Amino acid sequence: MRCVLITGAAGFIGSHTSLLLLNAGYKLFLLDNFSNSSPISLNRIARLSKLSNNEVKERISIIKGDIRNLSLLERTFLTAKSQGEKITSVIHFAGLKAVGESFEKALDYWETNVGGTLTLLKAMEKNDCRTIVFSSSATVYGQSTQDSLIETDPVSPINPYGATKAAIERMLTNIAGCNSHTTPKQKSPSGWRIACLRYFNPAGAHPSGEIGEDPRNIPNNLFPLINQVGVGRRESLTIFGNDWPTIDGTGIRDYVHVMDIAEGHKAALDMLMLSEPICLILNLGTGKGTSVLELIEIFKLSTGIEIKYKFGPRRMGDSAISLANPKEALKYINWKSKRTLSDICRDGWNWQTSNPKGYDDAYSKD
Ligand code: NAD
Ligand code: UD1
């Protein structure tokens, strides 16, 4: 059985990817320190998988712990061995991800994101595991222009969070023995199999409404904020600027369904397992741009809910447009997004209304 360690498995993207891999027959070691997630998401994954209790015990091991803890990581590899299995690959989601916070706590971001990844890679190498799919971000490109972004565009992050993602990409390409950190596909002379996936704007939820995005603090991102305004948790949305050089003056982004992102991880992992040692750097986005006002309109059409909003000043570090050119992902891992913005709105809203307070809902069934 293919055996994968997933760090940050209880989080937004980790939970959806874990469910997908579970249903695809993988055995999973799910590691999280729950600093930005709830263990309830892992219970729900097990329930959604429709496996029997015995199968769940066989196929899922949950490890509460930190990626910076080398001995815990080594114990995890050893536990797999003691069960007659070998962890042959890692999907690495764990990390800190709030751009604003990364200015105030830059050291924490470098310690967790870069230090944590370094520790993870050491544990992997020691245990002869050299396949990793890493959560990178469109934020590595920095300020963007009107054009869609392609992997060969300059990496030039403008905030500490983005700088840590760019640094990890460099660390991974160095380990792979590759020269470039902007080439979508390179051979790895050192024998690693690596995929850095640069997500654009993941949003939405599993169609069941059982797992979804549940940020611990006030969300920074537009989509969870729209949902929380819709459900009455917040009074109104402040749109950051209506004077951008776009069709309606509001920022344009590339929103991609979280299940499409999950499928991108499976596609990357399956490709790495089959191929010679390589290092991939790929955008995961739809290539379609949507403004804030357009998203509010599509949300209304998909859910019937009108979102109250007001205009405020631009947010520091924002850009007018951030749009993926996703053609390299199609070429190298045969992935493209399948779901629409209406699917994102419908599924995200289903999650929000089924769990108005997220996993902490007092009426939670768990
Ligand atoms: P998330 O916060 O929901 O998930 C991250 C998970 O990692 C959480 O469950 C958290 O508890 C865990 N974690 C954090 N620090 C840890 C540590 N030191 N040890 C163990 N676990 C730890 O975030 P997400 O939206 O699912 O994002 C997953 C990854 O994708 C992150 O690395 C993020 O930077 C990246 N990413 C996210 C987006 C996005 O919009 N959601 C976009 C681009 C990239
Ligand atoms: C933000 C981060 C980016 C990170 C990504 C995913 C910044 C500058 N960028 O991207 O590094 O990879 O999240 O975590 O923080 N908006 C509003 N009002 C709000 C919130 C957002 O108008 O309350 C607008 C923004 O100006 C933007 C769009 O909505 O035009 C999307 O914002 P957001 O969801 O935060 O994503 P990004 O800015 O693309």
Side-chain angles (χ1 to χ4, degrees):
M1 205 183 302
R2 277 189 186 173
C3 202
V4 188
L5 168 62
I6 304 185
T7 73
F12 174 41
I13 306 170
S15 55
H16 292 77
T17 307
S18 298
L19 176 60
L20 189 77
L21 292 186
L22 197 57
N23 284 335
Y26 285 80
K27 179 175 167 89
L28 305 179
F29 285 79
L30 305 178
L31 186 141
D32 207 299
N33 67 358
F34 304 113
S35 57
N36 196 38
S37 56
S38 163
I40 293 174
S41 70
L42 301 181
N43 300 343
R44 294 203 179 169
I45 292 168
R47 191 162 79 204
L48 282 169
S49 74
K50 305 220 164 55
L51 296 176
S52 68
N53 285 348
N54 278 346
E55 285 169 321
V56 165
K57 272 194 203 132
E58 239 171 58
R59 299 266 304 284
I60 305 182
S61 298
I62 295 173
I63 305 113
K64 181 176 182 204
D66 201 292
I67 49 164
R68 291 165 293 177
N69 184 341
L70 182 60
S71 59
L72 173 84
L73 293 172
E74 289 187 344
R75 273 204 308 280
T76 304
F77 281 95
L78 288 177
T79 305
K81 273 186 198 149
S82 71
Q83 295 172 3
E85 302 282 357
K86 183 175 185 318
I87 295 173
T88 48
S89 56
V90 173
I91 303 186
H92 179 32
F93 294 107
L96 304 178
K97 65 161 189 174
V99 173
E101 185 188 65
S102 76
F103 284 99
E104 293 142 34
K105 298 183 176 170
L107 194 56
D108 290 348
Y109 272 67
W110 279 85
E111 189 193 26
T112 297
N113 293 0
V114 179
T117 305
L118 184 71
T119 307
L120 174 66
L121 291 167
K122 279 188 164 181
M124 288 175 66
E125 182 151 67
K126 202 168 166 192
N127 287 280
D128 190 31
C129 171
R130 291 189 177 78
T131 301
I132 182 167
V133 180
F134 167 62
S135 295
S136 189
S137 167
T139 199
V140 298
Y141 293 113
Q143 290 285 7
S144 64
T145 60
Q146 298 285 330
D147 298 314
S148 63
L149 291 155
I150 185 109
E151 290 82 350
T152 46
D153 283 338
V155 167
S156 174
I158 53 167
N159 54 62
Y161 164 68
T164 65
K165 291 290 179 188
I168 296 166
E169 284 193 355
R170 289 201 181 205
M171 182 155 67
L172 289 167
T173 46
N174 284 174
I175 290 167
C178 300
N179 300 322
S180 162
H181 56 278
T182 57
T183 303
K185 183 181 176 186
Q186 298 168 84
K187 282 190 182 169
S188 163
S190 61
W192 278 75
R193 290 177 170 80
I194 293 172
C196 298
L197 303 181
R198 293 175 177 168
Y199 323 145
F200 277 66
N201 291 66
H206 188 266
S208 65
E210 294 262 320
I211 54 172
E213 187 168 14
D214 182 25
R216 297 278 90 181
N217 302 310
I218 299 174
N220 302 302
N221 296 123
L222 181 61
F223 196 77
L225 279 166
I226 287 182
N227 277 289
Q228 292 192 3
V229 172
V231 86
R233 256 171 91 171
R234 296 183 196 285
E235 178 75 14
S236 74
L237 174 79
T238 302
I239 298 182
F240 296 144
N242 58 351
D243 56 353
W244 294 99
T246 60
I247 36 159
D248 57 20
T250 65
I252 290 183
R253 294 292 182 273
D254 185 336
Y255 299 96
V256 49
H257 198 294
V258 65
M259 288 308 297
D260 281 326
I261 294 278
E263 287 168 6
H265 287 76
K266 183 173 178 303
L269 190 61
D270 291 347
M271 178 58 68
L272 291 179
M273 294 297 218
L274 288 174
S275 87
E276 59 182 344
I278 45 169
C279 182
L280 298 169
I281 296 179
L282 299 172
N283 288 341
L284 292 190
T286 66
K288 294 185 199 86
T290 307
S291 75
V292 179
L293 286 174
E294 284 172 334
L295 181 60
I296 290 172
E297 189 54 31
I298 293 169
F299 188 83
K300 185 176 147 194
L301 291 173
S302 314
T303 65
I305 301 295
E306 193 136 4
I307 298 300
K308 263 172 77 180
Y309 64 83
K310 54 184 186 292
F311 292 111
R314 291 181 179 187
R315 177 173 64 180
M316 193 177 79
D318 259 354
S319 56
I321 297 187
S322 170
L323 195 56
N325 179 330
K327 74 174 185 251
E328 302 291 1
L330 181 61
K331 183 169 165 191
Y332 291 120
I333 59 172
N334 197 25
W335 175 88
K336 67 174 181 189
S337 65
K338 293 184 203 142
R339 294 158 181 90
T340 64
L341 202 51
S342 301
D343 297 333
I344 292 179
C345 293
R346 187 202 55 228
D347 293 338
W349 182 241
N350 184 25
W351 151 254
Q352 186 69 66
T353 47
S354 312
N355 306 271
K357 294 178 187 155
Y359 293 111
D360 288 338
D361 197 335
Y363 303 104
S364 169
K365 304 172 277 299
D366 305 270

